Amino acid sequence: GDTGFLNRTVKVGGASYPYQVYVPANWTKKEKWPVILFLHGAGERGDNGLLQTEVGIGTVIRRYPERVPAIVVMSQCWRDHWWLEPAMQAQALGALNQSVKEFNGDVSRVYLTGLSMGGNGTWEIAASNPGKFAAIAPICGPVRILPRYGSLVSDELQSEKRYQQIAQKIGKTPVWVFHGEKDPVVPVSESQQIVEAIKAAGGDVRYSEYVGIGHDSWNKTYIEPGF
């Protein structure tokens, strides 16, 4: 079968969403494969199904394919939309489930990661689907919703209770959180507060804060040893 970056489409709720799936060169249907769902940031939104491979995990795969021995599903959120929205979450999960079937994914080793807006999506999707993911890795993701999310901002989403709510829903799922100390876009306090909330809830969390790094902390995350 084909390997590398492959074009695919998933149909959800009457709409078609193009996405990319990366299949390692040594893929074989004789074994079960771990699967990673990657959620891009606000700058990579669109409907060409390609832009989201250019920032974050896709870049690392192209440079260091040996670091990512997994099926990687890269959905694309529409322009002017957010991963927070049920329709966008549904297309990402649809692409994930379709890829698990097509490429013999191991349902016990499905992982979720995302950066910035996709970091927020990682928190939201993990909270809405407890037990689905073997582990999650949100990178510089807001937990409380920032004013730039426009019409989606509600009192509930901006509430301080949000950290506790998400922490409780995620439960015992292992979490590794990443953030740049000098992030000018998403305050580092977002990650610090959710990490504290997960600890307080008895969850399983690690936190890596990169000193002197701004918003693009994902460049370090995806080449982090042990990641």
Side-chain angles (χ1 to χ4, degrees):
D2 290 342
T3 61
F5 286 81
L6 308 177
N7 293 309
R8 290 292 184 270
T9 303
V10 64
K11 286 190 169 60
V12 185
S16 285
Y17 300 92
Y19 65 94
Q20 289 255 315
V21 56
Y22 166 74
V23 180
N26 60 338
W27 180 84
T28 159
K29 64 172 184 283
K30 294 193 179 84
E31 57 183 282
K32 291 275 187 195
W33 288 77
V35 185
I36 299 169
L37 175 59
F38 167 74
L39 304 176
H40 64 75
E44 293 78 60
R45 288 178 293 185
D47 54 13
N48 66 4
L50 294 172
L51 204 54
Q52 76 278 16
T53 71
E54 292 179 5
V55 177
I57 204 165
T59 319
V60 172
I61 290 168
R62 288 191 175 98
R63 288 184 193 157
Y64 314 104
E66 70 285 350
R67 285 180 183 266
V68 192
I71 307 295
V72 184
V73 181
M74 292 162 272
S75 295
Q76 188 177 32
C77 183
W78 283 350
R79 277 185 200 88
D80 303 319
H81 288 265
W82 308 88
W83 290 123
L84 189 64
E85 297 168 53
M88 295 299 114
Q89 294 188 24
Q91 65 130 327
L93 291 168
L96 172 63
N97 294 338
Q98 196 166 283
S99 302
V100 166
K101 285 196 187 101
E102 183 179 358
F103 297 106
N104 208 26
D106 183 347
V107 290
S108 69
R109 288 186 295 160
V110 174
Y111 303 89
L112 174 62
T113 184
L115 56 91
S116 196
M117 175 187 86
N120 167 258
T122 299
W123 290 121
E124 297 292 336
I125 288 179
S128 306
N129 298 272
K132 183 174 179 74
F133 300 100
I136 67 168
I139 305 166
C140 62
V143 177
R144 291 197 300 161
I145 299 308
L146 309 167
R148 65 166 169 274
Y149 280 62
S151 61
L152 293 175
V153 177
S154 65
D155 291 345
E156 188 207 356
L157 293 180
Q158 288 190 295
S159 153
E160 286 282 338
K161 294 196 188 101
R162 198 86 190 123
Y163 305 110
Q164 282 69 38
Q165 287 167 347
I166 297 252
Q168 276 159 359
K169 287 180 179 167
I170 284 170
K172 297 277 190 236
T173 298
V175 184
W176 194 353
V177 184
F178 300 84
H179 216 118
E181 173 220 9
K182 295 221 180 323
D183 193 326
V185 181
V186 177
V188 69
S189 58
E190 284 296 290
S191 287
Q192 292 166 344
Q193 295 205 65
I194 185 77
V195 166
E196 288 312 309
I198 294 171
K199 283 181 184 164
D204 178 357
V205 65
R206 292 174 71 170
Y207 180 45
S208 296
E209 189 176 295
Y210 296 124
V211 177
I213 296 292
H215 191 49
D216 62 348
S217 44
W218 53 84
N219 289 329
K220 288 180 82 72
T221 300
Y222 290 128
I223 57 169
E224 178 78 36
F227 177 77

